[in-house]
Amino acid sequence: ASDSKTEAKADAALVLSVGSTRVVNLPAVMTDVVVGDPNVADVVVRSNTQIVIVAKGPGETTVIATNAKGKALYAGLVRVGNN
C-alpha cells in the first residue's frame, strides 16, 4: 500500500488503488470528518490536524473535514480503482 502525504487541498480528485492510503495534513484543527460512501473509502483520524484516507473498494466518494464553525478544511473527491 502506498502512503504518501497530501497538504489539505482538493482541487483535483484523489486517485487511489484499493488497499492504499493517503495522509492529509489539515491547515487547522478539525472537529468533524464525513465520508460519503464508506464502502469506497474510510478515514483514520491521526490527530486533530491529520487524517489518513484508506481506499476500501472501487468507486467514488467525498471526504470532508470541518472545524468547529463548520468551515471545510478539506473537501475532496476520492476515486478508488482496482489497480
Side-chain angles (χ1 to χ4, degrees):
S2 71
D3 183 18
S4 54
K5 292 185 179 181
T6 300
E7 288 303 316
K9 63 179 194 250
D11 299 330
L14 177 61
V15 180
L16 298 171
S17 298
V18 172
S20 66
T21 61
R22 180 68 50 92
V23 175
V24 178
N25 294 304
L26 304 170
V29 173
M30 91 161 164
T31 56
D32 294 291
V33 64
V34 177
V35 177
D37 185 346
N39 294 313
V40 175
D42 199 2
V43 172
V44 176
V45 177
R46 296 287 309 261
S47 72
N48 58 10
T49 59
Q50 187 179 77
I51 60 175
V52 179
I53 299 172
V54 181
K56 291 175 62 177
E60 285 187 358
T61 190
T62 53
V63 173
I64 303 169
T66 61
N67 68 12
K69 294 182 179 180
K71 178 183 176 188
L73 302 174
Y74 178 86
L77 177 66
V78 179
R79 289 192 180 120
V80 178
N82 287 318
N83 295 0

